[in-house]
C-alpha cells in the first residue's frame, strides 16, 4: 500500500525530528549540556526548504516540544523547572520559527 503524497510533507519532518532527537540524546550522554536543543534547527530548516514555511513551522513546534520533553529538567515531562531554561526555549522557538519562515519563503521562490 502506497503512502498518500499529501502525508509525506508531515511524515518526513516527524522522521527528521525523531532522528535528530536520537542523535542529540546520544551526544547528551557524552557532552552533558542543555544547549543541544539548538540542533533542532537542522530539521526545521530542512523541512522548510523542502516543503515550505508552514511545514517548517510545524517542525519548529514539534522540535520545541521534544526539546522540552527530552532535554530540560525535569526530563520526560512537559514542564520546565528553571526560568532560565524557559527563556532559552522561547529563544530557540523564536529562532526556529524565524528560520522556517525565511528559509521556507526562499524555497517557495526557488520552486516558482
Amino acid at each position: 500500500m502506497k503512502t498518500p503524497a499529501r502525508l509525506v510533507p508531515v511524515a518526513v519532518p516527524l522522521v527528521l525530528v525523531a532522528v535528530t532527537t536520537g542523535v542529540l540524546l546520544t551526544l547528551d550522554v557524552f557532552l552533558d549540556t542543555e544547549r543541544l536543543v539548538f540542533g533542532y534547527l537542522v530539521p526545521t530548516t530542512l523541512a522548510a526548504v523542502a516543503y515550505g514555511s508552514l511545514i517548517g513551522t510545524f517542525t519548529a513546534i514539534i522540535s520545541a516540544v521534544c526539546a522540552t520533553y527530552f532535554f530540560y529538567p525535569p526530563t520526560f515531562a512537559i514542564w520546565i523547572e528553571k526560568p532560565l531554561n524557559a527563556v532559552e526555549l522561547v529563544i530557540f522557538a523564536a529562532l526556529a520559527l524565524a528560520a522556517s519562515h525565511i528559509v521556507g519563503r526562499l524555497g517557495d521562490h526557488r520552486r516558482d
Side-chain angles (χ1 to χ4, degrees), residues 29-98:
V29 171
F30 297 107
L31 299 177
D32 192 34
T33 180
E34 295 172 352
R35 306 306 176 259
L36 289 173
V37 297
F38 287 93
Y40 282 112
L41 289 172
V42 174
T44 300
T45 303
L46 292 174
V49 167
Y51 302 109
S53 59
L54 181 63
I55 297 298
T57 300
F58 167 73
T59 309
I61 292 167
I62 297 301
S63 294
V65 170
C66 286
T68 302
Y69 190 77
F70 290 108
F71 294 103
Y72 289 114
T75 53
F76 308 114
I78 303 293
W79 169 255
I80 298 176
E81 195 172 83
K82 300 176 187 174
L84 186 60
N85 288 344
V87 170
E88 182 180 307
L89 183 66
V90 168
I91 291 169
F92 162 75
L95 283 172
L97 290 171

Side-chain angles (χ1 to χ4, degrees), residues 7-32:
L7 292 181
V8 171
V10 175
V12 169
L14 291 175
V15 170
L16 287 172
V17 170
V19 169
T20 301
T21 300
V23 170
L24 294 177
L25 284 172
T26 302
L27 289 173
D28 190 43
V29 171
F30 297 107
L31 299 177
D32 192 34

